[in-house]
């Protein structure tokens, strides 16, 4: 007789359910959306599956494949919903005649060889439909694909939570009222949506690469999904330079993942990372993708090509001291001209500090202090604190690190910033 999973303490199971749901929610929503053709309803069905798990798993035990359980539960609810609609026959034919509540969900491969049978990619392109504003497209996809909360998205955008919440609600309503199809578009329509799709993938990866909030610095599942989608896009659009450039950037950034945290999950700064732990295979893939981007480029380098070139400079350096900071500073200068933003300027200041010293870099940072978009952004006082420390202005530097720690919402980053402040406090002269 097959052994049944043993019931577990409710508290532990609740935590497990929520953790698993956070990881699996993009796939659950995408699978349900394929059936109901409405991302808002699909998200509600995914939440229903979560509620069912919270009710059943404490009693019956966590299943061997919890992600598949949640996906199946959402699909079953989606099928029931379709069956209750007046247009049941037409909708059911669209998702396949072989659907059943007991069998795994399956849809035949699309007849068009240029199509991609990938529900997650369909979800991205649907959320990036031109009927939505650029801000709404990105916020909605981060919510659906990345499973991010409104507060995390607000942090990524550097805007109020209420603004993000309104964008998401309105975006889902607009997609439903406009009857936007759940599909990967073709031809000119695909090209029109590409920029938003690339930006969404980039932001999803960034949230995984440096989590906005929580106890962990990294969220590897987000990085994996973003990297996979970037690779799929690169195969789909071989003549699009920026698609290859984004893939190159993500490959090169992900190559450092194993070296970015210590044994206890604490952050390891770039200068302290053991470069032998960098993934040489991913670095090779990154260089290959960057070469493809250059080969098909028709004009000057785009924003992702410039960022990938910066990442390549780091990957080529065998040691931190070998890094070509002058080249990186120059590339950031081009990026600031091509895609100006306060965050790019802050990154340029870091590169300038390494190439020319802390004084010229501090001038750049001081000019950003009043930027509304950087209000509450913990990396601004963090960078300023580092520059002040290098200039010997210890007390001011400590105050900046304390301010940065107070603003940081990721526990690991907060701990690192608090440690920097403590170190500087120990260097201050008695009585100061």
């Amino acid at each position: 007789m097959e052994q049944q999973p043993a019931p577990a303490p409710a508290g532990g199971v609740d935590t497990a359910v929520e953790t698993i749901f956070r990881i699996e929610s993009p796939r659950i929503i995408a699978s349900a959306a394929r059936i109901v053709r409405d991302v808002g309803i699909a998200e509600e069905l995914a939440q229903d599956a979560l509620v069912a798990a919270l009710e059943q798993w404490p009693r019956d035990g966590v299943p061997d494949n919890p992600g598949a359980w949640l996906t199946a539960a959402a699909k079953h609810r989606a099928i029931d919903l379709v069956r209750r609609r007046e247009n049941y026959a037409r909708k059911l034919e669209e998702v396949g005649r072989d659907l059943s509540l007991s069998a795994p969900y399956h849809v035949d491969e699309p007849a068009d060889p240029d199509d991609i049978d990938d529900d997650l990619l369909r979800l991205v392109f649907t959320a990036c439909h031109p009927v939505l504003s650029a801000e709404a497209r990105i916020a909605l996809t981060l919510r659906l694909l990345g499973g991010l909360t409104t507060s995390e998205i607000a942090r990524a955008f550097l805007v109020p939570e209420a603004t993000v919440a309104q964008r998401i609600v309105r975006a889902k309503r607009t997609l439903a009222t406009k009857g936007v199809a759940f599909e990967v578009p073709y031809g000119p329509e695909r090209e029109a949506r590409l920029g938003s799709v690339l930006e969404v993938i980039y932001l999803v990866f960034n949230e995984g690469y440096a989590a906005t909030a929580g106890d962990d610095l990294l969220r590897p599942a987000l990085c994996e999904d973003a990297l996979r989608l970037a690779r799929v896009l690169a195969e789909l659009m071989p003549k699009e330079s920026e698609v290859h450039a984004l893939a190159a950037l993500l490959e090169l950034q992900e190559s450092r993942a194993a070296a970015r945290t210590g044994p206890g999950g604490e952050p390891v700064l770039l200068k302290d990372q053991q470069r032998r732990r960098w993934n040489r295979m991913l670095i090779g893939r990154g260089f290959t993708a960057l070469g493809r981007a250059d080969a098909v480029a028709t004009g000057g380098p785009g924003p992702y090509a410039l960022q990938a070139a910066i990442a390549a400079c780091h990957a080529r350096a065998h040691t931190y001291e070998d890094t070509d900071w002058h080249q990186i500073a120059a590339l950031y200068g081009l990026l600031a001209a091509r895609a100006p933003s306060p965050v790019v300027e802050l990154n340029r200041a870091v590169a300038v500090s390494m190439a020319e010293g802390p004084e010229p870099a501090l001038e750049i940072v001081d000019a950003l202090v009043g930027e509304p978009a950087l209000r509450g952004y913990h990396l601004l006082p963090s960078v300023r604190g580092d520059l002040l420390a290098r200039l010997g202005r210890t007390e001011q530097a400590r105050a900046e690190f304390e301010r940065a720690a107070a603003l940081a919402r990721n526990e690991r980053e907060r701990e690192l910033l608090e440690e920097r402040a403590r170190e500087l406090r120990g260097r201050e002269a008695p009585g100061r």
Side-chain angles (χ1 to χ4, degrees):
M1 181 181 295
E2 184 179 352
Q3 186 175 1
Q4 297 297 317
V13 172
D14 288 355
T15 301
V17 173
E18 291 168 3
T19 301
I20 293 163
F21 182 79
R22 188 175 177 92
I23 294 170
E24 298 290 340
S25 62
R27 295 180 181 85
I28 299 168
I29 294 168
S31 297
R34 180 75 177 275
I35 300 170
V36 300
R37 307 288 171 151
D38 185 309
V39 294
I41 293 174
E43 188 177 18
E44 293 174 6
L45 294 170
Q47 290 292 334
D48 290 343
L50 172 63
V51 171
L54 289 169
E55 292 173 349
Q56 295 182 39
W57 292 7
R59 181 186 68 236
D60 302 334
V62 178
D64 291 337
N65 191 335
W69 191 101
L70 287 164
T71 301
K75 285 180 181 176
H76 294 167
R77 284 162 173 76
I79 295 166
D80 287 341
L81 179 62
V82 170
R83 284 174 173 164
R84 289 196 299 267
R85 291 175 173 173
E86 292 181 354
N87 59 357
Y88 155 72
R90 180 176 61 82
K91 288 288 185 181
L92 198 58
E93 185 177 356
E94 287 178 6
V95 300
R97 296 183 179 181
D98 296 328
L99 282 172
S100 70
L101 297 180
S102 57
Y105 180 70
H106 173 74
V107 177
D108 291 337
E109 289 293 321
D112 194 315
D114 193 33
D115 200 1
I116 313 172
D117 192 24
D118 189 313
D119 286 342
L120 280 175
L121 197 59
R122 287 186 177 90
L123 184 61
V124 176
F125 270 95
T126 300
C128 291
H129 197 280
V131 298
L132 304 177
S133 68
E135 293 83 3
R137 296 173 207 169
I138 297 166
L140 180 61
T141 309
L142 284 173
R143 179 76 182 95
L144 299 178
L145 177 73
L148 309 189
T149 64
T150 53
S151 63
E152 289 170 337
I153 298 169
R155 187 74 169 178
F157 279 126
L158 305 176
V159 296
E161 286 186 39
T163 300
V164 172
Q166 289 172 358
R167 287 175 184 171
I168 292 172
V169 170
R170 290 171 182 167
K172 289 190 286 191
R173 186 185 302 128
T174 300
L175 291 176
T177 57
K178 296 290 186 180
V180 172
F182 186 68
E183 63 183 8
V184 177
Y186 297 97
E189 187 180 354
R190 179 182 292 174
E191 301 298 326
R193 291 198 229 169
L194 181 58
S196 290
V197 171
L198 294 181
E199 188 171 5
V200 165
I201 294 173
Y202 175 72
L203 287 172
V204 170
F205 181 88
N206 277 354
E207 180 59 30
Y209 191 74
T212 300
D215 297 331
D216 299 317
L217 179 69
L218 311 179
R219 293 176 61 186
L222 288 182
C223 291
E224 290 169 7
D225 275 341
L227 188 52
R228 182 178 66 83
L229 287 169
R231 290 169 178 167
V232 170
L233 277 179
E235 292 297 319
L236 174 70
M237 302 177 175
K239 296 182 180 180
E240 289 289 342
S241 177
E242 280 288 84
V243 173
H244 292 297
L246 177 63
L249 173 61
L250 303 195
E251 300 278 10
L252 292 168
Q253 295 289 77
E254 181 64 9
S255 71
R256 306 181 210 160
R260 294 184 60 238
T261 55
E266 67 279 5
V268 178
L269 298 176
L270 180 63
K271 65 183 179 63
D272 299 322
Q273 289 176 17
Q274 298 178 14
R275 299 197 173 206
R276 65 177 179 274
R277 298 187 65 195
W278 288 8
N279 188 315
R280 306 312 301 183
M281 181 192 73
L282 291 180
I283 289 174
R285 290 181 64 104
F287 287 155
T288 299
L290 189 54
R292 289 173 180 160
D294 291 340
V296 297
T298 56
Y304 296 114
L306 290 167
Q307 291 179 76
I310 291 167
C313 286
H314 289 295
R316 291 189 186 98
H318 295 293
T319 66
Y320 185 75
E321 292 71 26
D322 291 338
T323 307
D324 189 347
W325 289 107
H326 288 280
Q327 176 68 10
I328 291 175
L331 288 168
Y332 268 121
L334 292 174
L335 182 60
R338 181 72 171 78
S341 83
V343 173
V344 169
E345 196 68 0
L346 184 63
N347 287 330
R348 185 174 76 87
V350 174
V352 167
S353 77
M354 299 305 299
E356 303 175 22
E359 278 196 47
L362 186 60
E363 292 180 10
I364 299 172
V365 173
D366 284 347
L368 297 171
V369 169
E371 266 298 332
L374 295 182
R375 188 178 298 119
Y377 188 52
H378 70 284
L379 292 182
L380 176 60
S382 173
V383 170
R384 193 166 189 274
D386 182 68
L387 297 175
L388 289 167
R390 289 169 58 186
L391 289 168
R393 295 160 62 177
T394 305
E395 187 174 1
Q396 291 174 284
R398 174 185 56 77
E400 287 294 299
F401 281 120
E402 289 174 348
R403 180 167 171 264
L407 292 172
R409 296 178 61 192
N410 182 280
E411 189 61 32
R412 296 298 186 177
E413 286 189 302
R414 183 185 298 114
E415 291 171 355
L416 176 63
L417 292 165
E418 288 173 344
E419 177 60 29
R420 294 291 305 275
R422 282 193 294 271
E423 290 174 359
L424 292 170
R425 190 179 297 114
R427 298 180 197 172
E428 290 178 16
R432 294 188 62 185

